[in-house]
């Protein structure tokens, strides 16, 4: 009961009155129940996320620190430089079917909100740079993407870590986890999550 008092986990279609539309192509393809400990033995072993969206009240949010590395273009990256901005972090891989289904929606929300100072970061896991870059070009993704072949970045997201591939996490302006969506996310759901984070008082 204590955990339920600290955060609410529910589907955004139910919460916002949207129809329960699923990404049909995403239903059976990617990750298991714990993205932090994913393996790639043989068939990759990934299963679909549960499509649940969790929203964390401000008083119970966990800070994300120590996210550094190299972007796919080789340039260094430090997430802390975006403190003061709402940040959307999407965990994905070019091998992931549901990631294909959500890619253009993510890019569209990025373009909707970048003038408001919202930043987007992709975290490409267990992938080659060549495959990842080909995926980004094919789907018109323009926001920066961190190369994470060892899938270690997820360990930095304590309290509400990625639990599927894809997983999308929204950080508030203080660098804390405000929301997490498990599995492929629709444009409408992500747009409303980001709008809610942007509307929070500063």
């Amino acid at each position: 009961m204590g955990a339920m008092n600290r955060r609410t986990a529910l589907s955004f279609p139910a919460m916002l009155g949207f129809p329960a539309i699923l990404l049909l192509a995403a239903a059976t393809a990617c990750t298991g129940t714990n993205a932090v400990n994913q393996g790639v033995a043989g068939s990759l072993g990934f299963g679909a996320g549960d499509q649940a969206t969790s929203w964390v009240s401000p008083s119970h949010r966990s800070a994300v620190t120590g996210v550094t590395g190299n972007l796919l273009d080789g340039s260094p990256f430090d997430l802390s430089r975006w403190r003061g901005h709402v940040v959307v972090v999407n965990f994905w891989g070019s091998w992931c079917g549901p990631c294909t289904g959500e890619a253009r929606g993510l890019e569209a929300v990025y373009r909707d909100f970048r003038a408001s100072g919202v930043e987007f970061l992709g975290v490409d896991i267990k992938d080659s740079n060549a495959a990842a870059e080909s995926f980004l070009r094919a789907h018109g993704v323009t926001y920066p993407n961190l190369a994470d072949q060892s899938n270690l970045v997820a360990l930095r997201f304590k309290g509400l870590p990625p639990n599927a591939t894809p997983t999308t996490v929204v950080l508030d302006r203080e660098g804390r986890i405000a929301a997490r969506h498990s599995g492929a996310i629709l444009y409408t759901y992500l747009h409303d999550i980001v709008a809610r984070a942007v509307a929070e008082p500063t």
Side-chain angles (χ1 to χ4, degrees):
M1 293 299 294
M4 292 303 295
N5 290 334
R6 287 192 291 270
R7 65 173 63 97
T8 303
L10 67 165
S11 168
F12 253 75
M15 188 173 76
L16 298 174
F18 293 124
I21 303 168
L22 297 179
L23 289 173
L24 298 180
T28 58
C30 286
T31 126
T33 57
N34 189 344
V36 176
N37 296 314
Q38 292 174 40
V40 291
S43 63
L44 294 179
F46 297 103
D50 61 11
Q51 299 302 316
T53 298
S54 302
W55 185 269
V56 186
S57 62
S59 61
H60 293 103
R61 292 177 183 173
S62 301
V64 175
T65 61
V67 175
T68 61
N70 291 321
L71 299 177
L72 290 171
D73 64 8
S75 58
F77 177 81
D78 186 341
L79 183 63
S80 67
R81 292 182 298 183
W82 285 349
R83 189 64 54 85
H85 297 261
V86 171
V87 179
V88 177
V89 184
N90 177 253
F91 291 80
W92 67 280
S94 66
W95 40 263
C96 166
C99 299
T100 299
E102 69 172 5
R104 293 190 182 275
L106 283 157
E107 175 68 18
V109 178
Y110 168 60
R111 294 185 183 191
D112 288 346
F113 284 98
R114 60 184 173 182
S116 301
V118 177
E119 302 286 359
F120 271 59
L121 175 69
V123 179
D124 176 44
I125 64 172
K126 297 185 179 296
D127 215 347
S128 71
N129 281 23
E133 289 169 349
S134 177
F135 179 98
L136 297 176
R137 287 193 300 270
H139 298 289
V141 176
T142 62
Y143 52 82
N145 279 265
L146 194 64
D148 186 26
Q149 292 183 354
S150 299
N151 195 18
L152 295 177
V153 171
L155 296 173
R156 300 294 182 179
F157 287 69
K158 298 176 181 180
L160 198 62
N163 67 345
T165 304
T167 288
T168 300
V169 178
V170 177
L171 306 180
D172 65 18
R173 293 181 179 88
E174 296 181 33
R176 304 173 304 174
I177 299 173
R180 181 192 70 189
H181 182 83
S182 172
I185 191 165
L186 291 172
Y187 166 86
T188 51
Y189 301 173
L190 181 58
H191 190 282
D192 284 292
I193 295 168
V194 174
R196 181 175 175 179
V198 169
E200 288 187 333
T202 57

